[in-house]
Amino acid sequence: MRKILFGVIITLIVLFTFKYCGDKKEDKITLQEHSALIKEQVKNVGKLVVTEGHFSEVFTYKNSKAVFADLLEAKKQAIVIVNADVTIGYDLSQIEYEVDELTKTLRIVSVPKEEIKINPDFEYYDIQADFLNQFEAKDYNEIKETVNASLMKKIEASDLKSNAQNRLISELAKFYILTNSLGWTLEYNQNPIESSEELQELKL
């Protein structure tokens, strides 16, 4: 009787051991599948998010220099009309992230800085120049530098950058939806993101 009881106990222990090991193996496979899915989704979201804007400006360029031992002043001027297309984008393929399978955590380590591109179109009108102070290549370069600096100030004062950041956060929200649906945690800057509202408050 004791031998039978002992045999039954041994059999049960073996069965439970196999079942436990099988369950652990199944958990590991599921975890790896989730990890691969998360990596694939991060890769799919890795695209250029762009916000576009348009600016029009009218500049008056003036330049003068003294000639003949400061006896005369030679002047030149022009009216410059600038139409500029501006794009602000984030290359999400440059996002640095870590996938921690042990803690089921997707960590966003860093987000790329926005890329601002200005494509101006220049039209020159009413160009006037004295014989001793003609327009040269350096004048046009100065005009372009001045225009770009002015446009950058206008971009900073506009809502283009905030609109671009809102689009960025919308893309990051996809990471939260994915990790949350799989029972994973999304972290940014070592802080767990526990709701989509918290994404809106991120300082990127």
Side-chain angles (χ1 to χ4, degrees):
M1 184 67 180
R2 287 182 179 178
K3 290 183 178 180
I4 296 175
L5 182 60
F6 182 74
V8 171
I9 293 173
I10 293 297
T11 302
L12 290 174
I13 291 174
V14 170
L15 289 175
F16 278 122
T17 301
F18 274 112
K19 186 176 186 308
Y20 176 77
C21 292
D23 290 343
K24 293 294 285 186
K25 183 178 180 182
E26 184 176 342
D27 289 344
K28 181 64 176 178
I29 292 173
T30 302
L31 188 61
Q32 289 176 340
E33 289 175 351
H34 287 177
S35 175
L37 176 61
I38 287 174
K39 290 178 181 177
E40 183 65 25
Q41 290 302 311
V42 172
K43 182 179 178 181
N44 289 340
V45 175
K47 61 184 179 180
L48 185 64
V49 179
V50 176
T51 298
E52 300 178 350
H54 184 82
F55 293 88
S56 296
E57 294 290 331
V58 178
F59 296 88
T60 300
Y61 175 76
K62 294 182 179 181
N63 177 280
S64 62
K65 69 177 182 179
V67 294
F68 299 126
D70 295 343
L71 295 176
L72 293 176
E73 188 178 47
K75 299 179 180 179
K76 58 186 169 185
Q77 68 177 36
I79 295 175
V80 185
I81 297 178
V82 181
N83 289 292
D85 291 320
V86 177
T87 61
I88 302 179
Y90 292 89
D91 186 358
L92 299 187
S93 66
Q94 300 300 316
I95 284 182
E96 294 184 18
Y97 67 94
E98 298 174 352
V99 176
D100 189 337
E101 297 182 0
L102 186 62
T103 62
K104 295 185 178 182
T105 302
L106 170 61
R107 296 189 182 93
I108 299 177
V109 179
S110 68
V111 176
K113 185 176 176 57
E114 77 273 3
E115 301 173 1
I116 301 177
K117 295 182 179 180
I118 303 174
N119 298 304
D121 179 47
F122 294 86
E123 295 181 18
Y124 296 87
Y125 296 91
D126 194 25
I127 299 176
Q128 302 176 24
D130 292 339
F131 178 75
L132 296 175
N133 192 11
Q134 296 292 313
F135 270 88
E136 300 174 356
K138 67 177 184 179
D139 294 298
Y140 295 104
N141 289 333
E142 287 178 0
I143 290 172
K144 290 179 180 179
E145 290 176 3
T146 302
V147 167
N148 282 335
S150 177
L151 288 174
M152 281 300 298
K153 289 181 180 179
K154 291 187 175 295
I155 291 170
E156 292 291 340
S158 73
D159 57 1
L160 271 182
K161 291 186 73 172
S162 62
N163 288 344
Q165 192 171 85
N166 287 338
R167 290 197 60 187
L168 170 63
I169 290 175
S170 295
E171 292 298 319
L172 295 180
K174 295 178 181 179
F175 298 155
Y176 171 74
I177 294 171
L178 175 64
T179 53
N180 190 52
S181 66
L182 296 176
W184 282 52
T185 299
L186 175 65
E187 280 188 8
Y188 175 73
N189 200 19
Q190 298 183 338
N191 294 317
I193 306 299
E194 297 180 351
S195 69
S196 56
E197 288 74 18
E198 287 186 18
L199 281 171
Q200 305 297 324
E201 300 173 0
L202 288 180
K203 294 182 180 180
L204 302 171

